[in-house]
Amino acid sequence: MTLEVQYAEAVDGETSGARAKRPVLHAYLDIAIVVVVLVATNLIAHFTTAWASIATVPIAAVVLLVLTRRRGLGWAELGLSPRHWRKGSLYALAAMGLVIGVVAIGAALPITRPFFMADRYATLSGALVASMIVIPLQTVIPEELAFRGVLQGTLGRVYGARGVFAAGSLMFGLWHIASSLGLTSGNKGLSGFLGGGVAGQVLGILGAVVATAAAGVVFTWLRRRSGSLIAPIALHWSLNGAGALAAAIVWHTTMA
């Protein structure tokens, strides 16, 4: 083999290696961009104006979707492929039925009923509007699109299943720090269980992060199992929306 041939093969090997590394670097860059956008969104939504708290998360979810589509993420990677709608719907119905049943039992049992005593949903009409309009459009759909769609899709290009579960669920738990700052002060059951003051608030935040991270694991599993965002969206709405309605019913019947 001549020196010219050896040099040409070495150059070809280096070039192919560089090409192989480039997509990986691009994938890590995509993850970094998604994480930065999510952190900025969370801060703007919770620590600026009332209008920002309403519109920031939905807008950010759409922006992330557009960005990652332009970066080459397919509809299946985002959980939005039509071929998975049927399977996603079946998982959605099963998840909703299970959660609604558990919430109903929890609201009815005396030992767990105080945990539904949240003054945030003191009226049935307000809880109904929140459950059917505000929670799906402002929270559930945007968050699932951002986390189980965009973030999970970008993570899946670099990490295996364990990495996707761990990183995505941790991010989802941390996402709820800001929204849980006043968690114990507005919930009689939690304040009685965890106590008041700074210690109770810290325990409430830690509990919220752990609980939402655990929920993120289940959401991620549903997304991977069904291939569709329909299933985690349905479960997420069941937990938030059905919980809001149950809280309003418990508050109304207890305080009446």
Side-chain angles (χ1 to χ4, degrees), residues 85-104:
W85 286 355
R86 182 177 180 277
K87 190 174 183 180
S89 298
L90 294 175
Y91 274 90
L93 290 173
M96 288 176 63
L98 177 62
V99 170
I100 291 173
V102 170
V103 168

Side-chain angles (χ1 to χ4, degrees), residues 96 100 121 124-141 237-238 240-246:
M96 288 176 63
I100 291 173
Y121 301 112
L124 291 175
S125 59
L128 191 61
V129 171
S131 177
M132 299 302 175
I133 299 175
V134 178
I135 289 174
L137 297 182
Q138 187 179 335
T139 303
V140 173
I141 295 175
W237 174 85
S238 299
N240 289 21
L245 290 174

